[in-house]
């Protein structure tokens, strides 16, 4: 008892001593801060009231040497002012730079950047340094500081201007779960336990009996781990508690410090709040749809679910403070006390966090957004563009790296690193606000003057320098293309230069139209225009009516009407929520579009709301004739809708699985994906008694005159006689998987056009006689567009037409930027590239 009591007294004395020491340290900090503030005020008084510039300068320089970050920022700020008023721009510029690198105030940062630009006699070079890593990056652990784990197993600590090796001292092939400023959490190769090792220790300080961890999150001394069917809360002393079976398959979103809970996003479409003290669940936020994104921002929790962004303050209520509807929202970000929302279409909305009220909306080509300098947001595109915007989303500056980033930027205390592939880091100017010109922009202006003067010999070294400074400068690639055209450069070099100029001009509004106009003249196009569609909608498909062509933008959920003469957009119309590959069909002025369990019928001649028909299942295939619309569903229903009234004529359960079909005059020919074939009476929907099953899954079905043609996934073509359905079908074995199957009308009747995965295109008669074979290359979908006696198909950097008579190439149109499946209307060939360029060629 005496020993325990003595230890208790000793512990009490120790605690009191530590408390007194902490209090003394706190008082010392406050006293020092007060002293520094008094020194700053004295300096201001000496300068403003007495005109004692030298004394004020000495006092402020003392603060820059002895003060903390905030003190130094203020001192550098006033020193810059004093030097600028004295006309010493060089010194003023230095002090403004120092203050800018230290300030945490957005308004002051903008002011300082203006003064820094005004007192500078140099231009900004955005790319500061490129670091090549000896091994690809496996993981990035963001924090203060950040760490990167390489495939080789080595760990790098990211500093403001370099990366340094971290000698971790852990076994090879360990699974590193987390790295912070204190140490490393990891599992050995055997994954039979979990370890924590401080950076300054040679051995792990703690071992946990936790095997095969699938989810892990740490914060300071505490962590949470999902392993198998067990969720474990732990700290650096040991396991706090374990929960079995309850949270299988949940994702750990983070820690909500307002209430002291971990947040789990689970498969029941709910956020579960788990106490960090004992693992008990305090409450949950449930939704009908899966929760896609979650950000924890102070007291607020924002989440995307369905088509809505919700804002919660769980400490007050589990009901949302507000919700806002969006179309395919993909990213949410806390920015300057507000919320930025990026949709798949590239549209970005800025919302007030308290109310959800919209502050501003902009259109962009962005696929990602990340903070850059204080009070600026970076919008990153697929083409390598970086557009910096201010706190109201107004553009500040633009730069192009020629390739997209592959991971979020890494921020250090005074630096920003971008990751463009697995093995390179690029540091950029961390405090650039666009207040002074980029060196690459000035070189581009100089190159423009040289190009106008046709000074092709002198322009080459300038372009090389420009592209080293800004690899994705669209003007540089334009001038290189013009130089190669004028000096007789090789076809390959010219194509490369034009392709890059066009690709990179997409997000460069000041030069886009000029580049596209010159490009269209070079390739002999009627026009080349930029399609205003979402970055995620690649190779759009077209259909036409009268003097307009139309396309669907699934990511933006828009129907787009385009002027067929020049590629300009006439109008857009909102569509229902849909998948990336919506089921649709068009015929003359009727567009049918399926979304969920509904079919929407649009009249392209009217701006009226579409007619809606409910379906017994989700649509799988839609086809139209002049009098009817037919829909097959995933669960095996076939429906007929009359066009005269847009009413349901009949609905029949045909199969128990998805199926394909082709309508005839009195018979509908259908085949399930499993290989079962049925013929259906068109006016009633009743199946005929004939039924047969093929070996292999069926991928295509068409009718060519009297032949019903089916393709299977075992590379076979079957030709049935429509007049004698009991006859054994003819069979053709293909050398490669069948990608497309179409009928083509010739002067000798219908023929069968087959596209194979090996880029072969072949024509057969309805009896199965081979007529010709064309060996293609680089087609995207390997499905030609048939117009008259020609089959048009994309071939990488050109579109060609092939004679249906003999398989010879008749026409070639160059598309150096790549092309998609062609479309022809009103004697004009249209094709869209993956870079959202629409080509128009006169025929």
């Amino acid at each position: 008892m005496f020993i325990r009591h003595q230890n208790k007294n000793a512990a009490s004395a120790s605690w009191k001593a530590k408390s007194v020491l902490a209090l003394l340290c706190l008082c010392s900090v406050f006293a020092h801060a007060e002293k520094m503030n008094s020194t700053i005020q004295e300096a201001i008084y000496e300068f403003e009231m007495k005109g004692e510039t030298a004394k004020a300068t000495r006092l402020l320089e003392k603060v820059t040497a002895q003060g903390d970050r905030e003190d130094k920022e203020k001192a550098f700020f006033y020193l810059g002012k004093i030097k600028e008023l004295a006309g010493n721009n060089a010194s003023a510029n230095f002090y403004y730079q120092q203050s800018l690198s230290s300030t945490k105030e957005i308004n002051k940062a903008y002011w300082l950047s203006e003064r820094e630009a005004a007192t500078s006699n140099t231009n900004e070079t955005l790319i500061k340094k490129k670091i090549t890593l000896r091994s690809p990056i496996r993981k990035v652990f963001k924090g203060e500081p950040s760490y990167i784990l390489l495939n080789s197993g080595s760990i790098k600590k990211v500093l403001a201007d370099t990366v340094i090796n971290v000698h971790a001292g852990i076994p090879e092939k360990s699974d590193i779960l987390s790295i912070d400023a204190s140490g490393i959490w990891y599992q050995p190769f055997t994954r039979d336990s979990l370890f924590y090792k401080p950076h300054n220790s040679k051995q792990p300080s703690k071992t946990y009996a936790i095997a095969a961890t699938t989810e892990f999150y740490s914060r300071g001394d505490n962590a949470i781990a999902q392993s198998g069917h067990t969720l474990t809360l732990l700290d650096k002393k040991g396991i706090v508690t374990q929960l079995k079976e309850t949270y299988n398959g949940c994702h750990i979103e983070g820690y909500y410090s307002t209430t002291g809970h971990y947040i789990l996003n689970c498969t029941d479409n709910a956020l579960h709040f788990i106490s960090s003290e004992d693992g008990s669940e305090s409450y949950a936020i449930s939704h009908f749809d899966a929760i896609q994104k979650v950000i924890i921002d102070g007291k607020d929790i924002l989440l995307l679910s369905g088509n809505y962004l919700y804002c919660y303050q769980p400490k007050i209520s589990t009901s949302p403070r507000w919700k806002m509807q969006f179309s395919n929202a993909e990213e949410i970000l806390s920015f300057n006390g507000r919320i930025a929302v990026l949709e798949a279409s590239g549209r970005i909305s800025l919302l007030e966090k308290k109310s959800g009220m919209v502050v501003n909306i902009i259109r962009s080509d962005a696929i990602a957004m990340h903070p850059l300098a204080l009070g600026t947001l970076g919008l990153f595109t697929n083409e390598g563009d970086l557009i910096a915007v201010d706190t109201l989303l107004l553009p500040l500056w633009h730069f192009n790296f020629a390739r997209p980033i592959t991971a979020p930027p890494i921020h250090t205390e005074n630096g920003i690193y971008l990751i463009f592939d697995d093995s390179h880091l690029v540091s950029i100017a961390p405090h650039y606000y666009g207040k002074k010109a980029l060196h690459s922009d000035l070189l581009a202006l100089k190159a423009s003057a040289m190009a106008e003067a046709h000074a092709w010999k002198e322009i080459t070294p300038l372009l090389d320098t420009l592209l080293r400074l800004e690899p994705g400068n669209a003007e540089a690639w334009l001038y290189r293309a013009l130089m190669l055209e004028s000096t007789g450069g090789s076809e390959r070099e010219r194509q490369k230069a034009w392709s890059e100029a066009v690709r990179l001009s997409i997000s460069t509004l000041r030069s886009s139209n000029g580049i596209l106009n010159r490009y269209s003249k070079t390739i002999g196009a009627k026009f080349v225009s930029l399609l205003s569609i979402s970055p995620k909608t690649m190779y759009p498909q077209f259909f036409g009516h009268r003097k307009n062509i139309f396309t669907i933008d699934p990511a933006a959920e828009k129907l787009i009407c385009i002027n067929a003469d020049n590629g300009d957009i006439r109008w857009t119309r909102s569509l229902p929520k849909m998948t990336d590959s919506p089921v649709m069909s068009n015929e003359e002025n009727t567009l049918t579009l399926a979304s969920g369990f509904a079919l929407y019928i649009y009249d392209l001649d009217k701006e009226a709301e579409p007619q809606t028909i409910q379906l017994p299942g989700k649509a799988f295939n839609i086809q139209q004739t002049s009098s009817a619309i037919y829909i097959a569903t995933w669960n095996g229903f076939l429906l007929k809708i009359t066009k005269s009234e847009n009413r349901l004529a009949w609905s029949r359960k045909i199969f128990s699985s998805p199926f394909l079909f082709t309508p005839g005059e009195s018979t509908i020919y259908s085949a399930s994906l499993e290989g079962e074939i049925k013929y259906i009476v068109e006016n009633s929907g009743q199946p005929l008694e004939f039924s047969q099953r093929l070996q292999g899954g069926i991928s295509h079905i068409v009718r060519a005159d009297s032949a019903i043609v089916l393709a299977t996934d075992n590379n076979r073509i079957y030709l049935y006689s429509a007049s004698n359905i009991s006859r054994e079908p003819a069979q053709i074995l293909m050398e490669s998987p069948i990608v497309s199957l179409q009928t083509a009308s010739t002067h000798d009747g219908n023929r069968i056009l087959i596209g194979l995965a090996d880029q072969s295109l072949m024509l057969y008669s309805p009896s199965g006689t081979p007529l010709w074979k064309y060996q293609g290359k680089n087609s995207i979908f390997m499905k030609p567009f048939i117009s008259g006696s020609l089959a048009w198909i994309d071939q990488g950097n050109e579109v060609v037409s092939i004679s249906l008579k003999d398989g010879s190439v008749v026409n070639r149109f160059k598309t150096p930027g790549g092309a998609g499946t062609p479309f022809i209307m009103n004697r004009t060939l249209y094709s869209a590239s993956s870079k959202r360029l629409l080509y128009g060629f006169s025929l």
Side-chain angles (χ1 to χ4, degrees):
M1 288 292 294
F2 173 76
I3 294 173
R4 291 181 63 187
H5 182 68
Q6 188 181 46
N7 287 344
K8 184 177 179 181
N9 288 342
S12 177
S14 175
W15 179 85
K16 288 178 182 179
K18 288 180 181 178
S19 299
V20 170
L21 182 60
L23 185 60
L24 288 173
C25 290
L26 189 61
C27 291
S28 175
V29 169
F30 280 124
H32 182 73
E34 186 64 31
K35 182 179 179 182
M36 290 294 101
N37 188 55
S38 297
T39 304
I40 292 172
Q41 296 303 318
E42 183 183 353
I44 295 171
Y45 176 80
E46 290 291 338
F47 176 73
E48 293 183 349
M49 303 303 294
K50 294 184 177 182
E52 292 286 345
T53 302
K55 185 175 181 181
T57 300
R58 283 197 304 272
L59 289 169
L60 291 171
E61 287 176 343
K62 180 181 177 182
V63 175
T64 64
Q66 299 178 5
D68 59 17
R69 179 176 179 140
E70 186 177 350
D71 297 327
K72 291 179 180 180
E73 182 259 303
K74 291 178 182 178
F76 284 129
F77 175 80
Y78 289 117
L79 281 168
K81 275 188 164 185
I82 291 171
K83 294 299 182 182
E84 185 178 9
L85 288 171
N88 189 344
N89 281 353
S91 294
N93 183 264
F94 170 78
Y95 289 128
Y96 284 143
Q97 284 188 23
Q98 300 305 308
S99 183
L100 179 59
S101 66
S102 301
T103 188
K104 297 294 185 183
E105 297 179 35
I106 291 175
N107 291 336
K108 186 177 285 187
Y110 275 91
W111 188 90
L112 285 166
S113 66
E114 287 183 355
R115 300 321 307 153
E116 192 274 332
T119 55
S120 174
N121 59 3
T122 61
N123 305 309
E124 186 70 70
T125 301
L126 190 72
I127 297 177
K128 295 301 181 184
K129 192 174 184 179
K130 297 180 181 178
I131 299 174
T132 301
L133 304 170
R134 293 186 177 181
S135 174
I137 298 171
R138 186 188 305 170
K139 287 183 184 180
V140 176
F141 301 95
K142 300 185 73 173
E144 297 180 1
S146 293
Y147 295 85
I148 51 178
L149 170 66
L150 305 184
N151 276 348
S152 62
S154 63
I155 299 170
K156 305 282 186 179
K157 183 178 181 180
V158 186
L159 302 178
D161 58 354
T162 188
V163 296
I164 62 172
N165 288 319
V166 175
H167 300 288
I170 61 176
E172 290 186 9
K173 297 183 181 181
S174 293
D175 182 14
I176 297 179
L177 304 173
S178 178
I179 309 175
D180 58 24
S182 301
I184 303 174
W185 295 88
Y186 71 93
Q187 282 194 324
F189 177 70
T190 55
R191 302 193 72 200
D192 55 357
S193 53
L194 175 66
F195 295 90
Y196 174 76
K197 179 189 168 298
H199 287 307
N200 58 3
S201 172
K202 292 184 178 180
Q203 298 295 330
S205 63
K206 189 63 183 176
T207 304
Y208 305 84
I210 302 173
T213 300
T214 55
E215 286 268 339
F216 186 84
Y217 174 82
S218 65
R219 54 172 196 93
D221 290 340
N222 300 90
I224 182 172
Q226 178 75 51
S227 178
H229 299 288
T230 303
L231 186 71
T232 304
L233 275 64
L234 51 128
D235 57 28
K236 290 175 183 176
K237 295 180 180 178
I239 292 176
V240 176
T241 188
Q242 290 188 311
L243 310 170
K244 294 186 177 181
E245 305 294 343
T246 310
Y247 301 105
N248 294 345
C250 296
H251 173 66
I252 304 168
E253 294 286 358
Y255 181 70
Y256 186 49
S257 59
T258 304
T259 58
H261 289 84
Y262 292 108
I263 298 179
L264 306 183
N265 187 355
C266 297
T267 53
D268 60 353
N269 300 344
L271 295 184
H272 296 264
F273 289 73
I274 309 302
S275 170
S276 59
E277 294 184 357
D278 58 13
S280 61
E281 180 172 329
S282 302
Y283 40 83
I285 295 175
S286 299
H287 281 264
F288 179 78
D289 296 299
I291 298 171
Q292 302 155 279
K293 297 283 182 180
V294 177
I295 59 173
I296 303 167
D297 186 27
K299 296 179 180 179
D300 296 308
I301 293 177
L302 295 111
L303 61 87
L304 284 173
S305 178
N307 270 354
Y308 289 90
L309 171 65
Y310 296 84
C311 179
Y312 290 89
Q313 279 195 356
K315 189 173 182 180
I316 299 172
S317 172
T318 54
S319 297
R321 299 177 69 195
W322 53 262
K323 68 176 182 178
M324 182 67 68
Q325 188 170 16
F326 290 94
S327 174
N328 283 339
E330 293 194 332
E331 292 291 341
I332 48 177
L333 182 72
S334 178
F335 176 56
N336 189 36
R338 295 186 171 118
I339 303 300
V341 183
L342 172 64
E343 298 174 60
S345 65
R347 189 174 82 157
I348 301 174
S349 302
L350 188 65
L351 311 180
E352 290 289 1
K353 195 168 68 165
K354 288 184 179 180
S355 61
M357 183 180 70
V358 176
V359 177
N360 193 17
I361 296 175
I362 62 170
R363 287 299 304 268
S364 77
D365 293 324
I367 58 166
M369 56 183 182
H370 303 286
L372 292 176
L374 181 65
T376 69
L377 185 65
L379 312 181
F380 296 83
T381 75
N382 260 331
E383 310 310 325
D385 282 285
L386 168 53
I387 300 168
V389 296
D390 67 9
T391 54
L392 290 176
L393 303 186
L394 302 177
L396 292 171
W397 54 268
H398 169 268
F399 192 86
N400 196 302
F401 296 92
R403 51 183 179 166
I405 61 172
T406 55
I410 298 175
H411 288 256
T412 67
E413 184 178 1
N414 197 24
I416 300 173
Y417 285 91
L418 303 180
I419 303 173
F420 290 97
D421 56 42
D422 288 343
S423 302
H424 293 85
L425 296 179
V426 175
S427 68
I428 63 172
H431 307 297
Y432 182 58
Y433 287 83
K435 304 302 181 183
K436 60 181 179 181
L438 289 171
H439 191 35
S440 56
D441 287 341
L442 297 179
L443 289 184
L445 290 173
K446 189 175 180 180
S448 175
M450 286 185 176
E452 290 297 323
H454 300 281
W456 302 123
K457 288 185 179 179
E458 295 84 357
I459 203 173
T460 300
L462 178 65
L463 294 180
D464 291 341
T465 302
L466 174 52
L467 290 172
R468 279 197 301 270
L469 291 172
E470 183 178 358
N473 189 286
E475 288 94 336
W477 284 105
L478 168 65
Y479 304 140
R480 176 161 285 179
L482 295 175
M483 181 265 292
L484 292 169
E485 294 284 352
S486 299
T487 58
S490 70
E491 176 70 15
R492 183 176 181 180
E493 288 178 319
R494 296 201 307 272
Q495 278 203 7
K496 166 70 174 176
W498 276 119
S499 178
E500 286 297 278
V502 170
R503 176 178 74 88
L504 298 167
S505 72
I506 290 174
S507 299
T508 314
L509 297 179
R510 68 177 182 269
S511 59
S512 181
N513 288 336
I515 291 175
L516 293 181
N517 287 336
R518 292 197 184 196
Y519 175 59
S520 62
K521 292 176 183 177
T522 300
I523 64 174
K526 182 179 180 181
F527 65 82
V528 179
S529 66
L530 178 61
L531 271 174
S532 184
I533 59 175
S534 308
K536 296 197 173 180
T537 299
M538 299 179 68
Y539 298 110
Q541 304 299 294
F542 297 98
F543 54 96
H545 176 56
R546 294 187 176 177
K547 294 184 178 181
N548 299 319
I549 56 176
F550 298 86
T551 189
I552 298 291
D553 186 351
E557 296 174 350
K558 297 286 185 184
L559 167 64
I560 300 173
C561 175
I562 301 168
N563 186 328
D565 292 329
N566 56 24
D568 292 343
I569 289 183
R570 291 190 189 274
W571 51 258
T572 62
R573 187 181 299 176
S574 295
L575 297 174
K577 184 173 177 63
M578 66 184 81
T579 62
D580 292 339
S581 301
V583 183
M584 55 172 285
S585 173
N586 74 284
E587 197 269 339
E588 287 296 327
N589 67 322
T590 302
L591 168 68
T592 54
L593 183 70
S595 175
F597 290 89
L599 180 76
Y600 300 88
I601 305 174
Y602 293 85
D603 187 333
L604 298 177
D605 288 328
K606 300 176 182 178
E607 291 191 13
E609 288 294 312
Q611 194 155 352
T612 305
I613 295 175
Q614 295 301 312
L615 303 176
K618 292 183 178 180
F620 176 74
N621 187 16
I622 302 175
Q623 293 192 42
Q624 295 190 52
T625 65
S626 58
S627 60
I629 302 169
Y630 302 91
I631 307 103
T633 67
W634 279 84
N635 55 351
F637 278 87
L638 180 65
L639 299 88
K640 175 185 176 181
I641 295 168
T642 58
K643 276 193 172 179
S644 57
E645 299 177 323
N646 284 340
R647 285 192 172 183
L648 180 67
W650 48 257
S651 173
R652 296 282 184 266
K653 179 80 169 179
I654 307 297
F655 296 98
S656 58
S657 61
F659 65 98
L660 302 165
F661 66 94
T662 180
E665 292 179 1
S666 60
T667 305
I668 299 172
Y669 308 94
S670 66
S672 74
L673 300 191
E674 282 88 5
E676 186 179 359
I677 304 169
K678 289 186 179 182
Y679 289 3
I680 300 159
V681 179
E682 192 278 338
N683 61 9
S684 66
Q686 292 290 347
L688 298 174
E689 290 189 8
F690 167 81
S691 181
Q692 189 169 342
R693 184 179 291 273
L694 296 179
Q695 295 297 318
I698 294 177
S699 57
H700 302 83
I701 179 172
V702 297
R703 180 179 179 183
D705 292 337
S706 60
I708 310 303
V709 188
L710 299 99
T712 62
D713 57 14
N714 58 3
N715 304 353
R716 291 182 181 275
I717 296 287
Y718 293 85
L719 299 103
Y720 281 89
S721 169
S723 59
N724 188 354
I725 58 179
S726 60
R727 184 189 303 169
E728 279 295 311
Q731 296 185 38
I732 308 171
L733 178 62
M734 296 290 137
E735 296 177 354
S736 182
I738 300 159
V739 177
S740 65
L741 182 67
Q742 302 176 80
T743 57
S745 297
T746 68
H747 66 281
D748 293 326
N750 284 336
R751 296 288 182 260
I752 304 162
L753 191 61
I754 305 168
L756 301 182
D758 68 358
Q759 300 283 312
S760 300
L761 196 62
M762 296 178 291
L763 193 73
Y764 281 79
S765 71
S767 63
T769 303
L771 302 175
W772 53 256
K773 177 180 178 179
Y774 168 80
Q775 184 58 56
K777 60 179 181 179
N778 302 324
S779 177
I780 301 302
F781 298 113
M782 202 53 206
K783 185 176 181 180
F785 182 88
I786 300 169
S787 177
S789 62
L790 299 174
W792 295 81
I793 190 165
D794 58 299
Q795 296 285 274
N797 289 325
E798 64 178 355
V799 174
V800 304
S801 67
I802 301 165
S803 169
L804 291 174
K805 181 180 180 181
D806 57 16
S808 62
V809 174
V810 179
N811 300 291
R812 293 183 185 274
F813 292 96
K814 293 181 180 180
T815 56
T821 301
F823 173 74
I824 294 173
M825 189 180 76
N826 299 337
R827 297 196 58 78
T828 302
L829 165 69
Y830 303 94
S831 180
S833 76
S834 62
K835 303 307 179 183
R836 295 172 291 137
L837 292 175
L838 176 62
Y839 300 98
F841 294 94
S842 296
L843 298 178

